[in-house]
Amino acid sequence: MTSNTTMRILLLLGVLLLMPSRAVSHCDGMDGPVVKTAQQALASGNVNLALIWVKKDNEAEVRRAFDEAIAVRKLSPRAQALADRYFFETLVRLHRAGEGAPYTGLKPAGRDLGPAIPAADKALDNGSLEPVLKLLTEATQEGARKHFREVQEKKNFNTSDLDAGRDYVKAYVEFIHYVEGLWEAARNPAEGHYAEEHAVVHKD
């Protein structure tokens, strides 16, 4: 392994440790996009609305669950509720499997998902990205300024004070990794549930 490769691995690990993430999933909520689409599919009788959320290999299982739900939900209001829940769980489970994430059950509606996810959904509904860009810009600027300020405050340490010097190095490394992490996140595509599955604690 070359020194450059080793350094890139260490930098990547540093970015993962520094970047905040939330162990909150969007797609497994009762008010999430997967369940909302499942409700539309059942109401309209069009399973294709639901199939777009799963890989091709899982289509057969979704179709089977859909047909069973359609048949059972006609029996009574109680049967409809149970059948719908069964279909929701099947669709969400297979969607998450296709994204490489475990299924831990349907989550209640109204959870705190933070500001980013609701803003992104609202942008898609309204056709305007500007509020999302404003949110992201403010958050990244706040984080960068915080790290920069900490480095500036610690850079003029007494060279005889090793603890102060190490505090400066720590602040410096965190600032550099924060900036690099933002850059990498901005230029690379997001995939699946990576952040959720590799949830880490913010270190700053």
Side-chain angles (χ1 to χ4, degrees):
M1 182 180 295
T2 66
S3 59
N4 285 341
T5 301
T6 302
M7 183 58 68
R8 282 193 62 81
I9 292 174
L10 291 174
L11 288 173
L12 177 59
L13 290 174
V15 169
L16 291 176
L17 288 173
L18 289 170
M19 290 184 69
S21 64
R22 300 172 58 85
V24 176
S25 172
H26 184 208
C27 65
D28 61 358
M30 284 298 293
D31 54 353
V34 181
V35 171
K36 286 181 179 179
T37 304
Q39 291 170 333
Q40 294 170 2
L42 290 170
S44 66
N46 184 0
V47 69
N48 287 344
L49 297 175
L51 291 177
I52 64 173
W53 287 97
V54 300
K55 303 281 188 183
K56 189 174 183 63
D57 292 345
N58 298 128
E59 282 188 17
E61 186 172 351
V62 172
R63 289 182 184 277
R64 183 165 56 250
F66 180 81
D67 290 342
E68 291 170 352
I70 290 294
V72 172
R73 71 197 306 263
K74 299 175 182 178
L75 300 178
S76 69
R78 175 63 175 166
Q80 177 175 331
L82 292 173
D84 288 2
R85 178 88 181 190
Y86 162 69
F87 183 61
F88 300 161
E89 291 185 343
T90 300
L91 187 62
V92 170
R93 173 175 57 81
L94 294 175
H95 166 70
R96 289 178 63 79
E99 297 289 337
Y103 175 64
T104 56
L106 293 178
K107 304 303 187 296
R111 292 175 299 155
D112 178 14
L113 299 173
I117 290 175
D121 272 340
K122 187 175 181 180
L124 292 172
D125 289 339
N126 296 340
S128 174
L129 186 61
E130 294 309 311
V132 173
L133 295 178
K134 181 175 184 294
L135 176 70
L136 296 176
T137 299
E138 290 176 351
T140 55
Q141 287 185 353
E142 179 182 350
R145 288 193 177 101
K146 175 179 180 294
H147 285 290
F148 179 77
R149 184 170 60 250
E150 290 176 353
V151 177
Q152 291 295 94
E153 290 172 352
K154 297 175 180 180
K155 67 184 298 186
N156 295 319
F157 60 91
N158 188 328
T159 56
S160 63
D161 188 343
L162 293 181
D163 287 339
R166 291 183 179 115
D167 284 344
Y168 162 72
V169 170
K170 179 176 182 293
Y172 167 80
V173 170
E174 290 182 352
F175 171 65
I176 296 299
H177 286 178
Y178 184 83
V179 172
E180 183 189 34
L182 292 176
W183 169 251
E184 292 295 333
R187 61 193 291 267
N188 293 323
E191 298 180 1
H193 296 275
Y194 181 86
E196 179 188 346
E197 293 310 299
H198 297 75
V200 294
V201 178
H202 201 295
K203 295 294 185 181
D204 61 6

